[in-house]
Amino acid sequence: MALLFAAVVPLGCGPRDGDGGSTTDPAAACAELCTKDGYSSSRVDVQSNETNCFCSSGTGPVTDADCAAMCTSMGMGNPQAFGSTGPTKDSCQCS
């Protein structure tokens, strides 16, 4: 009797939401987000469990869609646009 063995090979290897994998440099992704949403300055804060992007020198706002795109580009999930200094959304958090 012959035994057949099959090798299982994963076909899609890449970052998943929240796995910490990065396909884009956080500083570059933050700068791109801020420029796209009408700001001229950006600052990124990378923590072990989250990345925050703060935009300044503009009127914004940071949109939920652009925040989500930034988080996705870095292989992170849970996008949340928020106002760091007032009611206007000028920042984005990914975790």
Side-chain angles (χ1 to χ4, degrees), residues 29-75:
C30 181
E32 182 178 330
L33 168 72
C34 293
T35 300
K36 182 176 184 178
D37 285 350
Y39 294 93
S40 61
S41 296
S42 64
R43 179 177 63 84
V44 69
D45 177 34
V46 178
Q47 300 294 320
S48 61
N49 61 334
E50 66 187 27
T51 296
N52 296 289
C53 172
F54 301 96
C55 304
S56 58
S57 299
T59 58
V62 169
T63 67
D64 292 332
D66 290 341
C67 179
M70 183 192 83
C71 294
T72 299
S73 78
M74 296 186 302

